[in-house]
Amino acid sequence: MPSSLLRGKTVVVSGVGAGLGHRVAAAVIRDGGNAVLGARTAARLARTAAEIDPQGARTAHLATDITDERQCEALAGLAVDRFGGIDAVVHVAAWDSHFGGVEDADFDAWHGVLDVNLLGTLRMTRACLPALKQRRGGSVVFIGTQSAVAAPSQVRQAAYAASKGALTSAMYSLARELGPQRIRVNTVLPGWMWGPPVEAYVRFTAVTEGVPEEEVLDRLTSRMALPEPATDGDVADAVTFLASDRARAITGQSLLVNAGELMR
């Protein structure tokens, strides 16, 4: 059901792919906002925009690699040119496909993960700051991960977890730095989030072990207080709340969206 949570707001969303980024962009439109979409693949951006906003009145998009500062500035500029400003920026873009621990680490690959997940997010944030300041307030929402505070036993993603943990630490400094301009900075920490990546993990594990997919899913949900995992739509709903004025007194906070698997 449409809502007015973000009516009149312009939200930049990085990392608009088939999963969470798509859901966040769709939630922005559903909640009355304008969505400015960035990702590396132009064709995917065009498909997403056409799906969530068939008339094209409330979306704009630009192929953007967040490791390139000029491309970040171009995406922020598109938001200002098309809709007159920026009220929030949501960072979904991430490199989450590098697996392994420290003992078998390829530290060159770690540099790449950190450049995307930590520095890329900060580049994109900085590119949006002039427009956020002109609004005299706004919201920055990082997408972190539960694995940054409690490593899962099923997979090892030390580089991903470390980069997202560093980003959450950076959030505290940014919340203090930007608070005087009434710019809020928060992080959403998903756990096992039912969407394309986790669906693929469940299918792969089931085939590899020769067991039903339901058995693999049961292993994941057995540790959760709620009987089913959060979906990428659930995470998107948390994001749009933090991007909205209803969260005007919330900054420097990490919100776990994980069906109660980890409680803090």
Side-chain angles (χ1 to χ4, degrees):
M1 180 179 178
S3 81
S4 59
L5 189 66
L6 295 174
R7 180 173 294 170
K9 305 287 189 184
T10 295
V11 182
V12 173
V13 185
S14 74
V16 178
L20 180 58
H22 180 102
R23 289 289 188 178
V24 169
V28 170
I29 295 299
R30 177 202 65 198
D31 290 342
N34 305 311
V36 180
L37 316 179
R40 289 180 300 172
T41 306
R44 176 173 286 170
L45 289 171
R47 288 196 300 270
T48 296
E51 180 177 333
I52 67 176
D53 179 33
Q55 303 303 315
R58 293 196 285 127
T59 54
H61 54 88
L62 183 67
T64 306
D65 182 344
I66 63 171
T67 65
D68 185 319
E69 194 156 4
R70 290 185 179 180
Q71 291 188 41
C72 293
E73 292 169 352
L75 184 62
L78 173 64
V80 174
D81 291 344
R82 178 70 187 277
F83 298 113
I86 299 172
D87 298 284
V89 53
V90 179
H91 298 281
V92 185
W95 183 352
D96 62 358
S97 58
H98 182 73
F99 295 90
V102 171
E103 191 171 14
D104 58 352
D106 175 354
F107 286 121
D108 288 336
W110 278 55
H111 276 293
V113 174
L114 287 162
D115 194 28
V116 173
N117 296 352
L118 175 61
L119 299 179
T121 298
L122 298 178
R123 286 187 197 98
M124 192 68 243
T125 299
R126 184 165 68 178
C128 293
L129 282 182
L132 287 168
K133 289 179 179 179
Q134 285 185 353
R135 288 288 209 236
R136 299 186 181 181
S139 176
V140 178
V141 183
F142 297 156
I143 301 298
T145 174
Q146 179 178 289
S147 65
V149 294
S153 58
Q154 292 86 357
V155 294
R156 287 187 299 164
Q157 287 182 290
Y160 178 65
S163 67
K164 291 294 190 175
L167 185 61
T168 299
S169 294
M171 172 195 71
Y172 300 121
S173 294
L174 266 67
R176 287 288 184 190
E177 178 184 351
L178 303 178
Q181 284 80 46
R182 291 183 170 81
I183 297 171
R184 299 174 290 105
V185 188
N186 294 288
T187 301
V188 175
L189 303 174
W192 288 95
M193 179 178 61
W194 191 250
V198 173
E199 291 173 31
Y201 168 81
V202 169
R203 286 194 299 268
F204 174 80
T205 303
V207 170
T208 301
E209 297 183 3
V211 299
E213 292 182 14
E214 291 76 11
E215 180 177 326
V216 179
L217 184 58
D218 285 345
R219 293 178 203 165
L220 302 182
T221 58
S222 65
R223 297 182 300 277
M224 298 174 184
L226 299 174
E228 59 183 351
T231 67
D232 50 11
D234 295 322
V235 175
D237 287 343
V239 166
T240 55
F241 165 70
L242 290 172
S244 78
D245 290 340
R246 292 186 186 176
R248 63 182 295 274
I250 301 174
T251 194
Q253 303 302 316
S254 298
L255 176 62
L256 284 159
V257 183
N258 63 358
E261 180 182 6
L262 174 68
M263 302 183 190
R264 301 177 72 193

mmCIF file of all heavy atoms in Angstrom, residues 145-164:
data_model
loop_
_atom_site.group_PDB
_atom_site.id
_atom_site.type_symbol
_atom_site.label_atom_id
_atom_site.label_comp_id
_atom_site.label_asym_id
_atom_site.label_seq_id
_atom_site.Cartn_x
_atom_site.Cartn_y
_atom_site.Cartn_z
ATOM 1 N N THR A 145 26.334 -5.436 8.040
ATOM 2 C CA THR A 145 26.036 -6.859 8.076
ATOM 3 C C THR A 145 26.166 -7.370 9.500
ATOM 4 O O THR A 145 27.053 -6.926 10.256
ATOM 5 C CB THR A 145 26.983 -7.665 7.164
ATOM 6 O OG1 THR A 145 26.740 -9.066 7.326
ATOM 7 C CG2 THR A 145 28.451 -7.399 7.486
ATOM 8 N N GLN A 146 25.321 -8.288 9.862
ATOM 9 C CA GLN A 146 25.421 -8.913 11.175
ATOM 10 C C GLN A 146 26.767 -9.609 11.346
ATOM 11 O O GLN A 146 27.292 -9.692 12.466
ATOM 12 C CB GLN A 146 24.285 -9.926 11.343
ATOM 13 C CG GLN A 146 24.298 -10.666 12.664
ATOM 14 C CD GLN A 146 23.131 -11.617 12.790
ATOM 15 O OE1 GLN A 146 21.996 -11.189 12.950
ATOM 16 N NE2 GLN A 146 23.406 -12.921 12.687
ATOM 17 N N SER A 147 27.350 -10.087 10.250
ATOM 18 C CA SER A 147 28.619 -10.810 10.354
ATOM 19 C C SER A 147 29.764 -9.912 10.815
ATOM 20 O O SER A 147 30.822 -10.413 11.215
ATOM 21 C CB SER A 147 28.979 -11.464 9.015
ATOM 22 O OG SER A 147 29.229 -10.495 8.021
ATOM 23 N N ALA A 148 29.577 -8.608 10.803
ATOM 24 C CA ALA A 148 30.604 -7.702 11.313
ATOM 25 C C ALA A 148 30.683 -7.732 12.831
ATOM 26 O O ALA A 148 31.704 -7.355 13.411
ATOM 27 C CB ALA A 148 30.326 -6.274 10.842
ATOM 28 N N VAL A 149 29.615 -8.201 13.486
ATOM 29 C CA VAL A 149 29.601 -8.249 14.954
ATOM 30 C C VAL A 149 29.458 -9.669 15.491
ATOM 31 O O VAL A 149 29.685 -9.903 16.681
ATOM 32 C CB VAL A 149 28.465 -7.357 15.525
ATOM 33 C CG1 VAL A 149 28.748 -5.900 15.222
ATOM 34 C CG2 VAL A 149 27.103 -7.743 14.979
ATOM 35 N N ALA A 150 29.095 -10.622 14.629
ATOM 36 C CA ALA A 150 28.976 -12.024 15.039
ATOM 37 C C ALA A 150 29.145 -12.896 13.806
ATOM 38 O O ALA A 150 28.209 -13.056 13.019
ATOM 39 C CB ALA A 150 27.618 -12.285 15.703
ATOM 40 N N ALA A 151 30.332 -13.457 13.623
ATOM 41 C CA ALA A 151 30.632 -14.207 12.412
ATOM 42 C C ALA A 151 29.778 -15.464 12.321
ATOM 43 O O ALA A 151 29.666 -16.215 13.296
ATOM 44 C CB ALA A 151 32.111 -14.596 12.377
ATOM 45 N N PRO A 152 29.161 -15.731 11.171
ATOM 46 C CA PRO A 152 28.384 -16.951 11.023
ATOM 47 C C PRO A 152 29.289 -18.172 10.935
ATOM 48 O O PRO A 152 30.452 -18.073 10.528
ATOM 49 C CB PRO A 152 27.647 -16.723 9.694
ATOM 50 C CG PRO A 152 28.549 -15.812 8.924
ATOM 51 C CD PRO A 152 29.187 -14.915 9.936
ATOM 52 N N SER A 153 28.761 -19.309 11.326
ATOM 53 C CA SER A 153 29.548 -20.541 11.270
ATOM 54 C C SER A 153 29.494 -21.189 9.891
ATOM 55 O O SER A 153 30.333 -22.013 9.558
ATOM 56 C CB SER A 153 29.037 -21.536 12.324
ATOM 57 O OG SER A 153 27.656 -21.832 12.122
ATOM 58 N N GLN A 154 28.498 -20.806 9.083
ATOM 59 C CA GLN A 154 28.307 -21.489 7.806
ATOM 60 C C GLN A 154 29.298 -21.037 6.730
ATOM 61 O O GLN A 154 29.714 -21.828 5.883
ATOM 62 C CB GLN A 154 26.877 -21.259 7.285
ATOM 63 C CG GLN A 154 25.803 -21.924 8.120
ATOM 64 C CD GLN A 154 25.379 -21.030 9.276
ATOM 65 O OE1 GLN A 154 25.924 -19.954 9.487
ATOM 66 N NE2 GLN A 154 24.393 -21.485 10.022
ATOM 67 N N VAL A 155 29.640 -19.758 6.710
ATOM 68 C CA VAL A 155 30.523 -19.235 5.670
ATOM 69 C C VAL A 155 31.559 -18.325 6.318
ATOM 70 O O VAL A 155 31.327 -17.756 7.383
ATOM 71 C CB VAL A 155 29.740 -18.447 4.595
ATOM 72 C CG1 VAL A 155 28.814 -19.365 3.827
ATOM 73 C CG2 VAL A 155 28.958 -17.290 5.217
ATOM 74 N N ARG A 156 32.711 -18.212 5.646
ATOM 75 C CA ARG A 156 33.735 -17.289 6.111
ATOM 76 C C ARG A 156 33.861 -16.150 5.109
ATOM 77 O O ARG A 156 34.151 -16.359 3.933
ATOM 78 C CB ARG A 156 35.085 -17.993 6.259
ATOM 79 C CG ARG A 156 35.166 -18.922 7.457
ATOM 80 C CD ARG A 156 36.581 -19.435 7.633
ATOM 81 N NE ARG A 156 37.015 -20.199 6.460
ATOM 82 C CZ ARG A 156 38.280 -20.502 6.189
ATOM 83 N NH1 ARG A 156 39.244 -20.080 6.994
ATOM 84 N NH2 ARG A 156 38.586 -21.204 5.125
ATOM 85 N N GLN A 157 33.632 -14.941 5.583
ATOM 86 C CA GLN A 157 33.761 -13.742 4.763
ATOM 87 C C GLN A 157 34.493 -12.676 5.582
ATOM 88 O O GLN A 157 33.955 -11.608 5.863
ATOM 89 C CB GLN A 157 32.394 -13.213 4.328
ATOM 90 C CG GLN A 157 31.694 -14.048 3.259
ATOM 91 C CD GLN A 157 30.370 -13.425 2.850
ATOM 92 O OE1 GLN A 157 29.437 -13.430 3.628
ATOM 93 N NE2 GLN A 157 30.310 -12.893 1.650
ATOM 94 N N ALA A 158 35.716 -12.984 5.947
ATOM 95 C CA ALA A 158 36.447 -12.100 6.849
ATOM 96 C C ALA A 158 36.653 -10.720 6.253
ATOM 97 O O ALA A 158 36.535 -9.708 6.958
ATOM 98 C CB ALA A 158 37.796 -12.727 7.212
ATOM 99 N N ALA A 159 36.964 -10.645 4.969
ATOM 100 C CA ALA A 159 37.199 -9.345 4.343
ATOM 101 C C ALA A 159 35.917 -8.516 4.325
ATOM 102 O O ALA A 159 35.935 -7.322 4.649
ATOM 103 C CB ALA A 159 37.722 -9.529 2.924
ATOM 104 N N TYR A 160 34.816 -9.130 3.953
ATOM 105 C CA TYR A 160 33.527 -8.439 3.921
ATOM 106 C C TYR A 160 33.141 -7.965 5.314
ATOM 107 O O TYR A 160 32.763 -6.799 5.514
ATOM 108 C CB TYR A 160 32.471 -9.392 3.353
ATOM 109 C CG TYR A 160 31.071 -8.831 3.305
ATOM 110 C CD1 TYR A 160 30.762 -7.752 2.502
ATOM 111 C CD2 TYR A 160 30.047 -9.415 4.056
ATOM 112 C CE1 TYR A 160 29.467 -7.237 2.446
ATOM 113 C CE2 TYR A 160 28.752 -8.923 4.007
ATOM 114 C CZ TYR A 160 28.467 -7.835 3.198
ATOM 115 O OH TYR A 160 27.186 -7.340 3.153
ATOM 116 N N ALA A 161 33.267 -8.851 6.301
ATOM 117 C CA ALA A 161 32.908 -8.488 7.669
ATOM 118 C C ALA A 161 33.792 -7.358 8.188
ATOM 119 O O ALA A 161 33.304 -6.418 8.834
ATOM 120 C CB ALA A 161 33.021 -9.710 8.579
ATOM 121 N N ALA A 162 35.097 -7.429 7.914
ATOM 122 C CA ALA A 162 36.008 -6.390 8.387
ATOM 123 C C ALA A 162 35.693 -5.046 7.745
ATOM 124 O O ALA A 162 35.716 -4.008 8.418
ATOM 125 C CB ALA A 162 37.446 -6.796 8.084
ATOM 126 N N SER A 163 35.380 -5.066 6.450
ATOM 127 C CA SER A 163 35.088 -3.800 5.771
ATOM 128 C C SER A 163 33.805 -3.177 6.289
ATOM 129 O O SER A 163 33.717 -1.955 6.481
ATOM 130 C CB SER A 163 34.985 -4.030 4.257
ATOM 131 O OG SER A 163 33.859 -4.830 3.922
ATOM 132 N N LYS A 164 32.809 -4.002 6.558
ATOM 133 C CA LYS A 164 31.544 -3.478 7.075
ATOM 134 C C LYS A 164 31.670 -3.069 8.539
ATOM 135 O O LYS A 164 31.012 -2.119 8.992
ATOM 136 C CB LYS A 164 30.436 -4.516 6.904
ATOM 137 C CG LYS A 164 30.034 -4.761 5.448
ATOM 138 C CD LYS A 164 29.380 -3.543 4.829
ATOM 139 C CE LYS A 164 28.758 -3.858 3.483
ATOM 140 N NZ LYS A 164 28.017 -2.711 2.923
#
